[in-house]
């Protein structure tokens, strides 16, 4: 029950004892992350008067939302002991593709969205399939995917003006509110998947001890392909929200998103080594990261220094993960 | 082909012939034969590295055997994956590979055989029925006198004895014909060892045939019907437990005593 999403307490399995055990367990795991978020927010709150406005708070959530949708997929993959460095490029391919579907082919938004999700899922599944067939490590296969899919996005987009989309599509990027709603919906569904379903629960077992899972009769290869597929699908969803928000698509979008997603997932407390984590943690991690980025810019700290800060936090978060593992 | 007395009178459940396993140039297992009769407890003994774990892994599809044929209920059976073994009704507790630390006791026991809800959510989305799984585990633990209340906690929170009891309970829950246990009492205290061996006995009472690897000669003499001895990847003796004592077994294991005819 290594899951911490807020909604998991609503329909718990088993008796009330299960309920209490899980809440206590989740709180034990999550309090350092929650405390960090409050401390960091409090720090910028005292340091910068303009930071105190409710608009700033909303923009933190709003800016976090697109990356957070993508990071839901990263959460699944990391829990299962995998790694996907290509989701930023899948993001670019799907963004460009839905642009072409609507701006060039004139497809209705609904059809474009469905196709976009399918493309994201297919590219993710391809990563997983290559891995289980060739046994080449995830790091290498998805590093290949990172450049290959980026190239694909550039080829698709070259010489095209992908902008000015139908209002029904742009709606999904309206303000901070709609992307936030989509983020929470994606997180809720991901959390339900991880905690309630057979395939989702097996991600923890495979990430925790793949050999035991295999000996227990869990189909490892097939399950892994599904996890990468879901990672690609969520990257595609995030891409479409961004295209709707910007009202244009270009292959440069999504650059480094995979790293920010991994950072948020790990800062939230999901293990980089698999077996533990949850999507609620990922949201917290994303809010921490975004609060730091927004807060530092309010204090006049440039983007280059922000990157250094985020880098240091990632290392600290992984250190904490390693420390927790060895301290047990 | 054994020409023995009591054992040969019984019907064999699981038979293996000429099981070998080579790792590159290393012969970990060299043409070993095994017969498990209906309702018996068969011990496998041998020094560290004798090939005991390799034998049961090859038997249960956990590793690919280099050569060998397996017969189940007299019919030749392909067992190439752990899933094949489970389908045949063989449940195994592997050495050091019994539980996933990161997931709860309930999830561990049902891993690979989770119960889904009996509605469209279960059928179409694989939504699990935790209530039912928890209830079945409580029944099982009651029946086996395993005192673990917080089955929702991650497996790593439990002691070696408790973890072993959970692993053994899986064989009671799912083993239909055969239970295979690789050192079920390794690293257990006196009380926990006794509890584990009582579980082995209750497996027998539940009508299962059992293969048990052990280094404890007292457990062989007290709980097993027959014993096979491996040395350096070869089968050196098969005996009825009634015909041996501890010293004889130790002699066979170390090679101080050469084996004669098989029991
Ligand atoms: N994956 C492997 N690669 C190479 N050699 C192996 C491998 N697995 C086992 N072996 C070798 O096979 C031999 C038998 O090992 P096995 O684990 O079956 O011994 P065992 O009888 O179970 O010993 P123990 O009592 O210590 O558990 C050993 O010499 C071991 O080094
Ligand atoms: Mg062994």
């Amino acid at each position: 029950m290594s899951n911490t999403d807020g909604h998991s307490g609503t329909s718990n399995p088993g008796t009330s004892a299960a309920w209490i055990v899980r809440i206590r367990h989740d709180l034990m795991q999550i309090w350092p992350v929650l405390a960090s978020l409050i401390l960091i927010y409090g720090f910028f709150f005292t340091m910068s008067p303009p930071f105190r406005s409710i608009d700033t708070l909303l923009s933190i959530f709003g800016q976090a939302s697109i990356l957070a949708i993508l990071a839901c997929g990263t959460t699944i993959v990391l829990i299962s002991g995998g790694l996907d460095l290509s989701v930023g490029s899948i993001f670019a391919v799907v963004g460009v593709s839905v642009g072409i579907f609507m701006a060039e082919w004139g497809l209705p938004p609904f059809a474009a969205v469905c196709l976009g999700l399918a493309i994201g899922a297919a590219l993710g599944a391809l990563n997983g399939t290559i891995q289980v067939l060739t046994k080449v490590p995830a790091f290498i296969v998805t590093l290949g995917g990172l450049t290959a899919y980026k190239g694909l996005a550039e080829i698709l987009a070259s010489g095209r003006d992908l902008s000015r989309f139908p209002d029904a599509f742009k709606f999904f990027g309206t303000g901070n509110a709609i992307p936030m709603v989509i983020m929470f919906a994606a997180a809720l569904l991901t959390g339900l998947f991880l905690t309630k379903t057979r395939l989702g629960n097996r991600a923890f077992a495979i990430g925790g001890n793949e050999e035991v899972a295999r000996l227990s009769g869990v189909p490892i290869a097939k399950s892994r392909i599904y996890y990468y597929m879901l990672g690609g699908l969520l990257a595609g969803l995030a891409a479409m929200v961004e295209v709707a928000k910007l009202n244009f698509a270009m292959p440069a979008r999504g650059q480094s998103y995979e790293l920010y997603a991994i950072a948020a997932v790990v800062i939230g407390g999901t293990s980089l080594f698999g077996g533990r984590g949850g999507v609620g943690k990922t949201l917290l991690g994303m809010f921490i990261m975004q609060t730091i980025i927004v807060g530092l810019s309010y204090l006049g700290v440039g983007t280059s220094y922000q990157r250094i800060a985020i880098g240091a936090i990632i290392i600290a978060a992984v250190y904490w993960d390693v420390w927790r593992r060895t301290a047990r | 082909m054994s020409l023995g007395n009591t054992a040969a009178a019984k019907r064999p459940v699981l038979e293996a012939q000429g099981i070998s396993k080579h790792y590159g140039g290393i012969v970990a297992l060299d043409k070993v034969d095994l017969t498990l009769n209906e309702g018996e407890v068969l011990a496998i003994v041998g020094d560290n590295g004798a090939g005991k774990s390799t034998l049961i892994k090859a038997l249960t599809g956990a590793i690919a055997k280099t050569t060998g044929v397996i017969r189940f209920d007299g019919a030749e059976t392909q067992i190439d994956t752990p899933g094949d073994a489970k389908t045949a009704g063989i449940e195994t507790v592997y050495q050091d590979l019994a539980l996933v630390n990161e997931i709860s006791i309930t999830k561990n026991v049902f891993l690979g055989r989770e119960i889904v809800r009996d509605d469209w959510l279960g059928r179409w989305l694989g939504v699990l029925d935790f209530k039912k799984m928890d209830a079945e585990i409580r029944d099982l633990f009651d029946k086996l006198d395993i005192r673990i209340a917080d089955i929702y906690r991650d497996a790593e929170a439990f002691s070696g004895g408790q973890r072993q009891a959970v692993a053994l309970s899986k064989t009671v829950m799912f083993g239909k014909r055969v239970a295979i246990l690789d050192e079920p009492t390794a690293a257990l205290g006196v009380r926990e060892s006794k509890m584990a061996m009582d579980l082995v006995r209750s497996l027998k009472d539940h009508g299962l045939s059992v293969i048990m690897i052990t280094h404890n000669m007292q457990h062989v003499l007290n709980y097993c019907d027959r014993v096979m001895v491996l040395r350096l990847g070869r089968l050196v003796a098969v005996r009825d437990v009634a015909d041996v004592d501890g010293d004889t077994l130790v002699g066979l294991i170390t090679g101080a005593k050469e084996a004669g005819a098989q029991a």
Side-chain angles (χ1 to χ4, degrees):
Chain A
M1 316 259 164
S2 332
N3 163 284
T4 51
D5 28 311
H7 56 271
S8 70
T10 50
S11 59
N12 254 296
T15 62
S16 66
W19 205 82
I20 291 162
V21 167
R22 180 189 276 197
I23 296 280
R24 198 168 51 203
H25 185 267
D26 288 356
L27 277 178
M28 283 287 290
Q29 286 203 322
I30 212 163
W31 73 263
V33 184
L34 207 55
S36 313
L37 178 58
I38 293 167
L39 276 178
I40 291 165
Y41 188 82
F43 172 77
F44 291 115
F45 196 91
T46 34
M47 295 299 288
S48 160
F51 185 85
R52 288 169 205 167
S53 75
I54 197 82
D55 280 349
T56 306
L57 187 61
L58 283 177
S59 80
I60 288 174
F61 281 95
Q63 286 182 28
S65 57
I66 289 166
L67 264 173
I69 294 166
L70 180 128
C72 288
T74 305
T75 310
I76 299 172
V77 172
L78 284 183
I79 286 174
S80 74
L83 177 71
D84 195 343
L85 296 173
S86 75
V87 285
S89 299
I90 293 177
F91 185 100
V93 173
V94 173
V96 168
S97 303
V98 292
I100 294 173
F101 296 152
M102 288 181 295
E104 294 222 335
W105 299 5
L107 285 187
F110 178 74
V113 168
C114 290
L115 279 175
L117 291 175
I119 291 171
L123 294 180
L126 183 62
N127 279 335
T129 309
I130 292 173
Q131 270 176 58
V132 300
L133 289 183
T134 64
K135 305 267 194 288
V136 174
F139 178 80
I140 301 298
V141 170
T142 62
L143 191 62
L146 170 77
T147 53
Y149 294 158
K150 186 70 182 293
L152 178 62
E154 285 167 358
I155 292 166
L156 290 173
S158 71
R160 293 189 156 106
D161 169 26
L162 303 172
S163 60
R164 289 181 294 280
F165 301 119
D167 287 344
F169 181 74
K170 282 190 293 189
F171 170 78
F172 293 109
T174 311
N176 291 321
I178 303 296
M180 265 171 62
V181 169
I182 297 174
M183 168 184 75
F184 281 117
L188 182 72
L189 288 176
T190 305
L192 289 173
F193 167 74
L194 284 171
T195 55
K196 305 293 177 205
T197 71
R198 176 167 50 199
L199 187 59
N201 271 281
R202 286 177 172 178
F204 293 89
I206 295 173
N209 195 328
E210 180 175 336
E211 184 63 1
V212 173
R214 183 180 77 86
L215 294 172
S216 301
V218 173
I220 307 290
K222 198 173 94 183
S223 309
R224 280 204 184 283
I225 292 173
Y226 277 121
Y227 303 140
Y228 283 97
M229 192 180 95
L230 289 171
L233 182 123
L234 284 157
L237 178 63
M240 291 186 285
V241 174
E242 196 186 73
V243 170
K245 189 178 179 122
L246 301 175
N247 199 18
F248 68 81
M250 54 185 264
R253 304 301 309 179
Q255 174 111 34
S256 298
Y257 279 18
E258 66 283 335
L259 295 181
Y260 282 105
I262 291 170
V265 172
V266 173
I267 290 170
T270 289
S271 176
L272 195 54
F273 310 104
R276 293 182 188 286
V279 76
K281 293 176 175 176
T282 295
L283 291 190
L284 283 181
M286 192 57 85
F287 295 150
I288 287 181
M289 215 167 71
Q290 219 48 245
T291 303
I292 292 170
I293 290 174
V294 172
L296 286 178
S297 35
Y298 270 94
L299 295 184
V301 177
T303 41
S304 310
Y305 288 98
Q306 291 173 22
R307 291 211 174 100
I308 294 173
I310 297 294
I313 292 165
I314 293 170
I315 295 172
V318 175
Y319 175 73
W320 181 49
D321 185 16
V322 172
W323 179 82
R324 254 188 330 180
R325 293 206 149 220
T326 48
R328 279 168 196 280
Chain B
M1 299 297 98
S2 75
L3 307 165
N5 31 40
T6 52
K10 291 196 176 177
R11 209 168 61 81
V13 192
L14 184 66
E15 296 162 280
Q17 256 172 11
I19 307 280
S20 299
K21 176 65 188 178
H22 299 187
Y23 287 106
I26 304 167
V27 182
L29 207 59
D30 191 12
K31 299 194 204 73
V32 172
D33 297 342
L34 175 151
T35 303
L36 176 68
N37 294 312
E38 191 82 58
E40 77 172 346
V41 180
L42 171 67
I44 303 179
V45 297
D47 260 335
N48 296 121
K52 306 179 296 294
S53 297
T54 306
L55 174 60
I56 63 139
K57 282 183 171 170
L59 274 180
T60 56
I63 56 174
K65 51 191 181 298
T66 310
T67 64
V69 181
I70 294 171
R71 262 189 286 276
F72 197 81
D73 281 336
E76 193 169 323
T77 308
Q78 291 293 328
I79 297 183
D80 296 328
T81 66
D84 292 345
K86 286 174 199 299
T87 309
I90 303 171
E91 195 62 29
T92 312
V93 180
Y94 296 96
Q95 189 173 22
D96 304 327
L97 287 168
L99 304 180
V100 178
N101 278 332
E102 285 84 352
I103 63 177
S104 73
I105 296 296
T106 304
K107 291 177 183 183
N108 261 297
V109 170
F110 282 96
L111 182 58
R113 270 169 305 210
E114 301 86 347
I115 299 177
V116 295
R117 283 165 56 134
D118 193 16
D119 56 15
W120 67 273
L121 283 169
R123 273 190 297 279
W124 294 93
L125 299 173
V127 174
L128 298 173
D129 192 341
F130 286 107
K131 266 205 178 92
K132 192 160 175 199
M133 288 192 277
D134 287 346
E136 287 203 8
I137 288 186
R138 293 210 178 288
D139 279 356
L140 180 72
F141 283 9
D142 272 354
K143 198 169 74 181
L144 300 175
D145 200 24
I146 297 173
R147 293 193 199 99
I148 293 179
D150 30 8
I151 56 179
Y152 323 104
R153 291 185 65 186
D154 293 349
E156 72 179 357
F158 295 90
S159 76
Q162 290 172 315
R163 294 165 58 89
Q164 195 57 258
V166 172
L168 289 173
S169 75
K170 263 180 103 159
T171 62
V172 180
M173 180 90 97
F174 297 109
K176 285 184 274 301
R177 303 294 308 281
V178 175
I180 302 182
L181 316 169
D182 196 343
E183 300 196 25
T185 62
L188 296 191
V190 177
R191 208 186 70 83
E192 285 80 9
S193 284
K194 169 127 185 2
M195 189 169 107
M197 293 313 297
D198 287 346
L199 277 173
V200 171
R201 192 164 269 165
S202 72
L203 282 171
K204 189 178 171 178
D205 297 341
H206 280 82
L208 275 80
S209 315
V210 181
I211 297 176
M212 183 181 83
I213 296 176
T214 183
H215 286 290
N216 186 319
M217 294 310 129
Q218 218 50 51
H219 289 165
V220 174
L221 298 175
N222 292 345
Y223 294 90
C224 300
D225 301 302
R226 287 191 310 138
V227 52
M228 54 189 279
V229 183
L230 293 183
R231 195 191 314 141
L232 301 174
R234 287 164 191 271
L235 177 62
V236 294
V238 183
R239 296 290 162 85
D240 277 343
V241 166
D243 302 339
V244 290
D245 55 31
D247 288 342
T248 318
L249 279 178
V250 171
L252 287 167
I253 289 168
T254 57
K257 247 188 207 91
E258 275 313 320
Q262 298 187 353

